[in-house]
Amino acid sequence: MALVALGVCGGIGAYKSVEVARGLQKQGHDVIAVMTRAARKFVGTVTFEAITRHRVVTSQFEAGANSDIEHISLASSIDLLLVAPATANVIGKFANGIADDFLSSLYLATKAPVLMAPAMNTHMLEHDAVRRNLDVLAARGVRFVEPGAGYLACGWIGKGRLAEPGDIVSAVEQLLSPSGPLKGKRVVVTAGPTREALDPVRFIGNRSSGKMGYALAEAARRHGADVVLVAGPTERRPPSGVEVVHVSTATEMRDAVVARAAEADVVIMAAAVADYAPAEASAQKIHKDRDEMILKLVRTPDILAELGRARAGSGRPLLVGFAAETSDVVAQARKKLSAKAVDMIVANDVSRADAGFEVDNNEVTIVTQQGEETLPLQEKTAIASHVIERIATLLKSRITVSR
Ligand code: CTP
């Protein structure tokens, strides 16, 4: 049983958080509701008090509640801070460290994981200011339950509706006690492209969307792992329950991965890492003052190969690579398996229009020392689940053998 502080903000979805509180209790958790001033315009405190059987916290300066500096004492006793609905205002406050009411002070004072369920008008959700704040929070380890799409109270149709109470409760459950074959395992996943700067406005990049890597991170989390997602530049929203490290270049990705590899049980390199980068990035914008231009490129660090060398003899972490090929897919993958000294290569044919880059589907062949297995064309999320299951099996056989 966990103690959950349920932050309720002033959005029309506030009524749904009554159901969230009840759902959490059904799972055996104790809930303390913290309501903002605006939230109380939508739902009364009595409703939450009757359900949670605790006094509802509404103000930092309530008489009789300060003998124990309440936001500090609550901050250190909760197992989770859940905010549902999270308005653009509270997201902005959390992102910028503003502590002008109980809920925003609680956020700064607690070391407990934080889960937010944003809800607002579609245009507000898409606004640069809100997106930036969400990114800041995600990079800080805050987890999110994605808002749903549909009719909004303001009359718009679009994304922004508070996630269903059942989904919020499941996300809490996952965060508090993920279970599955990877429980207790640390998994590092890389995703997306890298960018190598030519000058302040241009870079060499590639077509990777990050979809596969993000799906793998989500699947690893669902299977119980503690996941760090090292992500190159993409527009994707990180899956909930996953720590995200944003990087841009191959070297930054290498540093982020290597720093975490020693502690990891599994490293999955799903990122499309640039193999070459400009020998020198120009500090000033390059102008078109010549008829032709020859770029000198130098090799970037091969992260996977470096991990393969570094773990020589120990077999830990388990290493998984991806191979994007346009011909002789399996033969190329097998070559990479031994050249980079890794345990698994997930190979796909990127010359196909219906699979691979920038689409939702993929068909892959998993190549290991033991053999090959082709997973037929399906959603990347489904492929990710299968790949994670194969990794869990391989990890288990490893542990059995080495003991
Ligand atoms: N990889 C890496 N570091 C690099 C390049 C690739 O860690 N600098 C990883 C990729 O994330 C992937 C695997 O190595 O998991 C294979 O990547 P791929 O580009 O297909 O193969 P390369 O080793 O780069 O070989 P080539 O481009 O010659 O096919």
Side-chain angles (χ1 to χ4, degrees):
M1 185 183 95
L3 177 61
V4 179
L6 172 60
V8 186
C9 304
I12 188 70
Y15 77 93
K16 283 199 205 169
S17 50
V18 177
E19 230 177 295
V20 172
R22 201 186 274 292
L24 291 173
Q25 284 178 321
K26 278 192 191 149
Q27 298 295 328
H29 304 308
D30 202 10
V31 181
I32 292 185
V34 177
M35 297 181 79
T36 65
R37 197 152 50 120
R40 281 175 280 141
K41 300 212 186 284
F42 289 87
V43 190
T45 52
V46 180
T47 312
F48 281 98
E49 224 152 70
I51 283 177
T52 63
R53 298 182 181 268
H54 286 294
R55 187 177 69 81
V56 172
V57 186
T58 51
S59 161
Q60 226 159 337
F61 304 111
E62 219 166 303
N66 286 296
S67 52
D68 195 19
I69 320 274
E70 202 176 13
H71 66 274
I72 304 293
S73 88
L74 187 62
S76 49
S77 48
I78 57 174
D79 300 292
L80 176 78
L81 170 59
L82 167 67
V83 186
T87 54
N89 185 45
V90 83
I91 288 165
K93 286 205 263 186
F94 281 18
N96 293 288
I98 295 167
D100 65 351
D101 63 2
F102 192 96
L103 184 58
S104 48
S105 305
L106 181 63
Y107 166 70
L108 290 185
T110 193
K111 293 265 180 237
V114 179
L115 179 66
M116 301 182 89
M120 65 197 77
N121 162 274
T122 309
H123 285 181
M124 290 172 77
L125 187 63
E126 283 169 0
H127 197 284
D128 266 357
V130 175
R131 294 188 67 88
R132 199 166 312 150
N133 287 334
L134 288 169
D135 286 344
V136 166
L137 291 173
R140 221 181 265 156
V142 171
R143 324 286 161 75
F144 294 96
V145 190
E146 284 274 326
Y151 283 97
L152 304 178
C154 53
W156 289 77
I157 300 172
K159 199 170 169 181
R161 199 168 62 175
L162 181 67
E164 289 309 314
D167 293 337
I168 298 174
V169 173
S170 313
V172 169
E173 284 303 283
Q174 233 181 57
L175 203 69
L176 290 174
S177 56
S179 59
L182 292 178
K183 190 171 169 68
K185 301 290 175 204
R186 293 180 198 186
V187 177
V188 176
V189 183
T190 67
T194 60
R195 287 180 180 175
E196 311 299 330
L198 280 166
D199 68 12
V201 294
R202 304 180 181 94
F203 58 81
I204 298 179
N206 61 66
R207 287 171 52 202
S208 167
S209 65
K211 221 171 252 176
M212 193 68 225
Y214 274 60
L216 284 160
E218 202 272 324
R221 179 67 192 161
R222 223 173 339 100
H223 284 74
D226 293 326
V227 182
V228 179
L229 175 63
V230 179
T234 77
E235 292 285 296
R236 278 175 199 290
R237 179 69 41 79
S240 70
V242 166
E243 181 192 338
V244 187
V245 180
H246 291 286
V247 296
S248 184
T249 66
T251 305
E252 283 170 18
M253 185 170 278
R254 180 247 167 228
D255 292 348
V257 172
V258 168
R260 288 162 180 83
E263 296 294 312
D265 297 287
V266 182
V267 178
I268 307 173
M269 287 292 307
V273 189
D275 289 323
Y276 293 90
E280 233 176 303
S282 166
Q284 305 299 327
K285 185 182 167 194
I286 303 168
H287 290 286
K288 51 176 182 308
D289 49 10
R290 46 207 140 159
D291 288 337
E292 63 171 22
M293 186 174 163
I294 294 168
L295 279 177
K296 184 174 174 195
L297 303 177
V298 291
R299 283 287 298 270
T300 56
D302 187 322
I303 307 168
L304 195 54
E306 182 177 339
L307 296 177
R309 283 193 300 276
R311 69 157 192 179
S314 79
R316 187 173 182 272
L318 192 103
L319 295 177
V320 179
F322 272 68
E325 305 294 345
T326 50
S327 61
D328 295 332
V329 176
V330 173
Q332 292 292 346
R334 205 157 271 296
K335 231 159 89 183
K336 282 175 188 169
L337 188 77
S338 65
K340 301 197 186 201
V342 301
D343 306 287
M344 181 187 287
I345 291 281
V346 182
N348 67 322
D349 183 347
V350 285
S351 65
R352 290 172 58 153
D354 59 348
F357 280 140
E358 293 168 342
V359 292
D360 288 334
N361 296 332
N362 214 351
E363 178 183 301
V364 301
T365 303
I366 297 178
V367 179
T368 61
Q369 296 292 359
Q370 289 75 36
E372 293 151 27
E373 181 191 3
T374 297
L375 303 177
L377 190 68
Q378 56 199 300
E379 291 244 348
K380 283 180 179 171
T381 47
I383 295 269
S385 292
H386 290 303
V387 169
I388 292 296
E389 275 155 27
R390 302 305 182 276
I391 290 172
T393 308
L394 202 56
L395 198 61
K396 202 163 158 218
S397 70
R398 240 348 123 69
I399 292 163
T400 318
V401 169
S402 62
R403 269 182 189 160

